[in-house]
Amino acid sequence: MTARILEGKVFAQAFREDAQKKAAALQEKYGVQPGLAVIIVGSNPASQVYVRNKHKSCEALGIYSEVIEMPETTTKDELIAKIDALNADVKIHGILVQLPLPEQIAAHESEILERIRPEKDVDGFHPVNVGRLVTGEPGLVPCTPFGCLRMLELAGIPIDGQRAVVIGRSNIVGKPAALLLTANNATVTLCHSKTRDLKAKCAAADIIVAAIGKAGFVTADMVKEGAVVIDVGINRNAEGKLCGDVDFAAAEQKASFITPVPGGVGLMT
Ligand code: NDP
């Protein structure tokens, strides 16, 4: 079997159109333009690119966008004061603090992120939103796992009753991916660096979500014939080329659907 490729740009386009329609409907019905504020502290080059892209996307979708650039030397209190101001700002409905934070405030990351009002916490990192995800109540969900689930849904891939293995248990990807799959009636095994018999667990899975951060970690023998493989990883291989957590060339021969890297999950989120 050769897998169908789940191309991120196709899904990204669908999400954009959906967001644009929703923004226009809010404006038309209630006279409200949705607003997103992104705070970037310091000058991390990758973060600057992400923030610029978010700003451009918002503008294209009819979403009001504010980018707040704060110096590398910003203190925790200064950042919290800015978050408080945005919490109170009626033009702003979503607040993102771009991570990673500079060294002097990185240790306070949780306290900083928890300062964002849960209803404006578009990253879905606030404990209230995490709790809602656990209990199955509506809330804001981290974008990468949310996008992975929407990708499965839009591609018409059944989740209900399927055996899913998620490799990686980070708060940003692995854990929320496992919770979302559970909420959609998959039977989920959440694996990590201490998991025994990982290969066998993967080889029995109908759906594999790889979020590890190790190039080519998921090999062909870990992929069941006809399985769906979602590769969240973003790595550089020995030649310095961008690649995922899955040995794509080999897994593609066995999977029914697979996301490439680059061009898969990353493009969509
Ligand atoms: P983390 O480093 O936070 O988590 C990695 C997870 O992988 C951990 O749970 C770790 O286990 C597990 N792991 C590490 N080694 C092994 C192993 N040998 N066997 C099994 N599990 C292992 O990473 P993130 O979740 O933040 O990111 C994962 C990948 O996804 C990265 O490549 C990142 O760049 C990418 N990413 C992509 C995004 C996108 O939009 N496409 C967004 C976010 C991340 P343990 O907990 O035991 O240490």
Side-chain angles (χ1 to χ4, degrees):
M1 173 178 279
T2 304
R4 281 182 55 192
I5 312 292
L6 296 168
E7 290 200 45
K9 65 174 182 224
V10 175
F11 295 93
Q13 186 54 28
F15 296 163
R16 275 196 214 103
E17 281 167 15
D18 186 45
Q20 197 166 18
K21 272 189 206 142
K22 285 179 176 156
L26 271 176
Q27 183 75 265
E28 198 181 304
K29 277 194 189 160
Y30 305 106
V32 172
Q33 183 184 26
L36 176 72
V38 180
I39 306 178
I40 176 166
V41 186
S43 54
N44 180 310
S47 293
Q48 285 180 328
V49 173
Y50 293 140
V51 169
R52 253 200 316 276
N53 288 343
K54 282 169 191 162
H55 181 66
K56 273 196 217 153
S57 297
C58 282
E59 286 195 324
L61 299 177
I63 294 169
Y64 170 71
S65 163
E66 247 180 58
V67 175
I68 293 114
E69 297 186 51
M70 301 184 78
E72 191 84 34
T73 50
T74 301
T75 63
K76 180 191 81 171
D77 290 344
E78 285 165 342
L79 180 51
I80 283 180
K82 180 43 85 180
I83 292 171
D84 286 346
L86 293 167
N87 277 338
D89 186 338
V90 292
K91 291 191 305 303
I92 299 299
H93 305 91
I95 303 169
L96 289 174
V97 175
Q98 186 66 41
L99 301 177
L101 290 167
E103 226 169 74
Q104 82 281 5
I105 47 175
H108 305 288
E109 185 179 298
S110 301
E111 186 186 344
I112 289 163
L113 296 179
E114 285 172 29
R115 193 71 173 213
I116 299 171
R117 270 170 52 185
E119 58 274 30
K120 294 194 178 189
D121 164 43
V122 277
D123 260 333
F125 295 156
H126 192 287
V128 167
N129 284 315
V130 176
R132 286 181 181 150
L133 181 58
V134 173
T135 55
E137 290 166 69
L140 293 161
V141 177
C143 69
T144 300
F146 180 77
C148 292
L149 264 287
R150 289 286 292 136
M151 223 173 181
L152 294 174
E153 283 164 13
L154 287 175
I157 294 167
I159 303 174
D160 210 297
Q162 299 294 87
R163 268 179 297 194
V165 163
V166 178
I167 320 172
R169 57 174 162 179
S170 72
N171 292 332
I172 297 174
V173 189
K175 278 185 205 154
L179 288 163
L180 287 168
L181 285 161
T182 305
N184 283 275
N185 299 323
T187 302
V188 182
T189 307
L190 180 56
C191 300
H192 45 77
S193 66
K194 305 290 184 288
T195 299
R196 275 190 279 134
D197 304 326
L198 179 63
K199 275 185 190 270
K201 287 180 171 58
C202 289
D206 304 304
I207 299 171
I208 297 174
V209 178
I212 310 151
K214 292 203 162 128
F217 183 89
V218 176
T219 46
D221 56 333
M222 296 164 77
V223 178
K224 188 175 78 166
E225 199 68 40
V228 175
V229 180
I230 304 293
D231 189 353
V232 183
I234 303 174
N235 314 292
R236 299 255 169 213
N237 66 14
E239 292 83 52
K241 277 179 71 182
L242 213 56
C243 68
D245 288 342
V246 176
D247 177 354
F248 180 83
E252 186 194 18
Q253 300 306 316
K254 294 179 85 179
S256 56
F257 290 89
I258 190 166
T259 59
V261 179
V265 172
L267 264 193
M268 178 200 56
T269 55

